[in-house]
Amino acid sequence: MQSLILPRDVIAWTGASLRFLDQTALPAEERLINTSDYRVVIEALRTLRLRGAPLIGVAAAYAAALAANEHLAETGTGFHTRLQTSLSEIASARPTAVNLFHAVDRMRGVAESYADPMQCATAMERTAAGMHEAEAQRCIAMGEAGAVLLPDEGGVVTICNTGALATGGIGTALGVIATAVRAGKRLHVYACETRPLLQGARLTMWELARLGIPATLIVDGAVPELLRRGEVRAAIAGADRIACNGDTANKIGTCAVALAAHDAGIPFYIAAPVSTIDFTAPDGGAIPIELRGPDEVRTLAGIPVAAAGCEVWNPAFDVTPHRLISAIITDCGVLTAPLMAGISRLRA
Amino acid sequence: MQSLILPRDVIAWTGASLRFLDQTALPAEERLINTSDYRVVIEALRTLRLRGAPLIGVAAAYAAALAANEHLAETGTGFHTRLQTSLSEIASARPTAVNLFHAVDRMRGVAESYADPMQCATAMERTAAGMHEAEAQRCIAMGEAGAVLLPDEGGVVTICNTGALATGGIGTALGVIATAVRAGKRLHVYACETRPLLQGARLTMWELARLGIPATLIVDGAVPELLRRGEVRAAIAGADRIACNGDTANKIGTCAVALAAHDAGIPFYIAAPVSTIDFTAPDGGAIPIELRGPDEVRTLAGIPVAAAGCEVWNPAFDVTPHRLISAIITDCGVLTAPLMAGISRLRA
């Protein structure tokens, strides 16, 4: 009998290899991949078997450690030459993932600090594990800071996937929910399916089932009607980028959740590490919004669901204005209004 | 070369048969069905080849006329006996469509007024055509009343399908848009895809292309981000039921559009015939909301898009509170705030 695959199995270092969950197979199949070949990790990043900004960084660091181990067989300067090439390959796995570049830069720094291949490989393995652990610690800090804000019982709405599958730790918004439930709060999660890519339906509902947290799936447009029923006490989401005034870019559909919460008089929280704050962006207007291709909306699993060739506007993110955000839960504590003042203190 | 199928081809009486567009084949294929067998119409109603509350009523009336023609071959009391049976079969095509029952009741009344089979069949055909024409006239009245409210140029957001495919006329909300465009207004429609059944993506985008009206498809959650861009000047939707105070039940997702419009400071309109007003419902709380099955959300075209067996809350409609509605456009003129007073005058 196969043992139950849990969110903590999303990514793990075995000592000599990296074992991770193939997220493209979810929710239909729980497929673990175990590899000591960094090229397999690159392929997994390319094809979204591994996704979620923090998790991408962790996976890239482990890929670098795998590359170092592989190149130990080289003699002379061969180890460092080949390792640099491998690091460049890893850095090009995804075009725009900032966490990927940061992780590879960090691992390149470690590589350049050790002339001895064996010492270098050991340090890289230790650094990758440390980065994974730091990501997990940040999630725990957010969970503890945010859990007290959630109600003792009742419904909580969330959107997209912000759990272990996105972070390699307990998650951001989902980590706050999980921490509150572990502390004894009786919460029922309403997960928005999150069109167009359905991360809520495919990933969040899977994680919540594995965590044993009661959950119900809804279409994104159902939030106002759900809140009218009165059972939901809070809404919480993650963030892709936060501006200096608290305006927050997150998965498309987030602002609609915030508007519904505001109208219903329930709090709307953002949970995100401080690293998400863009101190160069004064407000949401300065955050670039990625526009993605039309076929994410026009087709589903290759099946046309719209008139062929019709024009589509498909922004990946939206900006929720700070006035709709009750608090931002970070790994360095909770920021409340005025958000700009709290963010400014974090910068200092 | 096949001639272009237009929205006006949704349903048409040929003189001896009913020709209609198979809406389940859209948008992949434009398939016309031509039949003199009322059972084919019943099957089309059952399988949603014909859908949309007003169109269901029109189709049921024509089905009754087809049945009368078929039973002319009977002798003695056979005609009326078999016609009554056929009318009962037509009434049971869909379980909850009020327009269906109203149409069959009307046709039964006609049947009972004529002893002579030939006179009866002629009267039923004339009545069905009259009901179709009346529905089309109501659409024209709404279009003329509402077109002046839309901006001279710019974006207009809509949700679900409210055009010819739903009414057999030019439509309600979509009829208002089409009338405004015909009057020279340069509008660009943003159609919400309308999860879970994607009527916006499948049907509205097809109609707008056929009408030559510029249109862009968006996911439902993208409305607030779209409005932040500032190009959209108004939002307009249909209605399934309107309470005495103006609270309006319409396809799930409508309230989220109204909230976004309200927050962005642009008008949100409802377009619906007076027959949509439920004078027995004092407010939205009195309108029952149909809950539909989980697989509409969990699967798409038979493909699982969510964790198998996960719990789903799938309301077909939501209630938009009257305070978010700028005006209700009816076939008897435009109602503005206070909506309750205008609705009360219509009742009197």
Side-chain angles (χ1 to χ4, degrees):
Chain A
M1 185 182 138
Q2 205 190 343
S3 64
L4 196 67
I5 292 174
L6 296 167
R8 67 167 176 268
D9 298 318
V10 165
I11 194 161
W13 182 254
T14 68
S17 67
L18 186 66
R19 196 189 60 211
F20 59 89
L21 185 59
D22 178 356
Q23 297 191 28
T24 59
L26 290 176
E29 192 191 339
E30 295 167 359
R31 185 191 302 151
L32 286 172
I33 296 172
N34 196 336
T35 185
S36 55
D37 186 347
Y38 73 95
R39 297 166 199 84
V40 173
V41 183
I42 291 175
E43 189 271 349
L45 289 166
R46 283 224 171 92
T47 55
L48 309 189
R49 299 186 203 287
L50 289 164
R51 37 65 58 192
L55 185 63
I56 287 170
V58 169
Y62 280 130
L66 289 176
N69 280 346
E70 178 180 316
H71 301 320
L72 283 176
E74 301 291 321
T75 55
T77 59
F79 171 82
H80 278 287
T81 307
R82 296 207 50 186
L83 181 55
Q84 288 300 326
T85 305
S86 299
L87 289 171
S88 298
E89 289 172 49
I90 296 165
S92 64
R94 287 283 292 277
T96 52
V98 172
N99 297 59
L100 174 67
F101 307 142
H102 286 172
V104 173
D105 280 351
R106 176 90 181 274
M107 297 304 275
R108 191 174 275 123
V110 174
E112 288 165 358
S113 308
Y114 292 87
D116 177 66
M118 183 58 83
Q119 282 185 355
C120 182
T122 303
M124 286 179 72
E125 186 180 317
R126 202 171 52 229
T127 302
M131 288 166 68
H132 185 183
E133 179 59 25
E135 205 65 61
Q137 288 297 330
R138 279 192 280 276
C139 290
I140 288 170
M142 279 181 270
E144 289 177 353
V148 295
L149 297 177
L150 295 185
D152 288 339
E153 58 185 350
V156 176
V157 169
T158 191
I159 186 166
C160 199
N161 175 259
T162 59
L165 291 167
T167 62
I170 59 170
T172 57
L174 220 49
V176 171
I177 290 170
T179 305
V181 169
R182 260 207 316 276
K185 297 194 173 191
R186 290 182 301 281
L187 303 179
H188 188 107
V189 179
Y190 289 91
C192 293
E193 64 173 0
T194 319
R195 282 285 289 157
L197 294 182
L198 299 167
Q199 292 94 335
R202 294 188 298 108
L203 307 178
T204 299
M205 288 302 289
W206 179 85
E207 279 202 50
L208 290 167
R210 280 289 172 270
L211 292 167
I213 298 174
T216 299
L217 180 64
I218 57 173
V219 297
D220 305 327
V223 175
E225 179 65 15
L226 175 65
L227 300 196
R228 190 171 70 96
R229 308 295 173 110
E231 302 144 44
V232 172
R233 309 282 184 81
I236 186 166
D240 282 83
R241 210 188 286 203
I242 299 172
C244 290
N245 70 342
D247 289 355
T248 295
N250 191 46
K251 180 59 41 67
I252 191 76
T254 303
C255 184
V257 175
L259 283 167
H262 186 74
D263 190 69
I266 66 166
F268 173 78
Y269 301 116
I270 292 290
V274 169
S275 58
T276 309
I277 300 171
D278 180 352
F279 292 108
T280 72
D283 57 39
I287 301 177
I289 300 295
E290 176 190 0
L291 291 177
R292 296 179 59 86
D295 280 339
E296 288 183 356
V297 180
R298 284 196 302 226
T299 65
L300 208 147
I303 296 169
V305 294
C310 73
E311 190 180 313
V312 173
W313 187 64
N314 183 24
F317 308 103
D318 63 18
V319 172
T320 299
H322 63 88
R323 65 187 157 81
L324 300 176
I325 299 170
S326 308
I328 299 179
I329 300 157
T330 79
D331 48 324
C332 298
V334 174
L335 311 178
T336 51
L339 292 171
M340 196 187 298
I343 290 169
S344 178
R345 277 193 301 277
L346 284 174
R347 187 180 198 173
Chain B
M1 187 182 138
Q2 203 190 341
S3 65
L4 197 65
I5 292 174
L6 295 168
R8 68 167 175 267
D9 298 318
V10 164
I11 195 160
W13 183 253
T14 68
S17 67
L18 186 66
R19 195 189 62 210
F20 58 89
L21 185 59
D22 178 357
Q23 297 192 28
T24 59
L26 289 176
E29 193 192 339
E30 293 166 2
R31 186 191 302 152
L32 286 172
I33 295 173
N34 196 336
T35 186
S36 55
D37 185 348
Y38 73 95
R39 296 166 201 84
V40 172
V41 183
I42 291 176
E43 190 272 348
L45 289 167
R46 283 224 171 92
T47 56
L48 310 188
R49 299 187 205 284
L50 288 165
R51 36 65 58 193
L55 184 63
I56 286 171
V58 170
Y62 281 130
L66 289 176
N69 280 345
E70 178 179 317
H71 300 320
L72 283 176
E74 302 291 320
T75 54
T77 59
F79 172 81
H80 278 286
T81 306
R82 295 206 51 185
L83 181 54
Q84 288 301 324
T85 305
S86 299
L87 289 171
S88 298
E89 288 172 49
I90 296 164
S92 65
R94 287 283 292 275
T96 52
V98 172
N99 298 59
L100 174 67
F101 306 142
H102 286 173
V104 173
D105 281 351
R106 176 89 181 275
M107 296 304 275
R108 190 173 277 123
V110 174
E112 288 164 358
S113 306
Y114 293 87
D116 178 67
M118 184 56 84
Q119 284 184 353
C120 181
T122 304
M124 286 178 73
E125 187 180 318
R126 201 171 54 228
T127 303
M131 287 166 68
H132 186 184
E133 178 60 23
E135 206 62 61
Q137 288 297 331
R138 280 192 280 275
C139 290
I140 289 169
M142 281 180 270
E144 289 177 353
V148 295
L149 297 177
L150 295 185
D152 288 340
E153 58 183 350
V156 176
V157 169
T158 191
I159 186 165
C160 200
N161 177 258
T162 58
L165 291 167
T167 62
I170 59 168
T172 56
L174 220 49
V176 170
I177 290 170
T179 304
V181 170
R182 260 207 315 276
K185 298 195 172 191
R186 291 182 300 283
L187 303 179
H188 187 106
V189 179
Y190 289 90
C192 293
E193 63 174 358
T194 319
R195 282 285 288 157
L197 295 181
L198 298 167
Q199 293 94 335
R202 294 188 298 110
L203 307 179
T204 299
M205 288 302 288
W206 179 85
E207 279 202 51
L208 290 167
R210 279 291 172 269
L211 292 167
I213 298 175
T216 300
L217 179 65
I218 57 173
V219 296
D220 305 326
V223 175
E225 180 65 15
L226 175 65
L227 299 196
R228 192 171 70 94
R229 308 296 173 108
E231 301 144 45
V232 172
R233 310 281 184 82
I236 186 166
D240 282 82
R241 210 188 287 202
I242 298 173
C244 291
N245 71 341
D247 289 355
T248 295
N250 189 46
K251 180 58 42 66
I252 192 74
T254 302
C255 184
V257 175
L259 283 167
H262 185 77
D263 189 70
I266 66 165
F268 173 78
Y269 302 115
I270 292 291
V274 169
S275 60
T276 309
I277 300 171
D278 180 352
F279 291 106
T280 72
D283 57 39
I287 301 176
I289 300 295
E290 176 191 0
L291 291 177
R292 296 179 59 85
D295 281 340
E296 287 182 359
V297 180
R298 285 196 302 224
T299 64
L300 209 146
I303 297 169
V305 293
C310 74
E311 190 180 312
V312 173
W313 186 65
N314 184 23
F317 308 104
D318 63 18
V319 173
T320 299
H322 63 89
R323 64 186 157 80
L324 299 175
I325 299 169
S326 308
I328 298 178
I329 299 156
T330 79
D331 48 324
C332 299
V334 174
L335 310 179
T336 52
L339 293 171
M340 197 186 301
I343 290 169
S344 178
R345 276 194 301 277
L346 284 175
R347 187 182 199 172

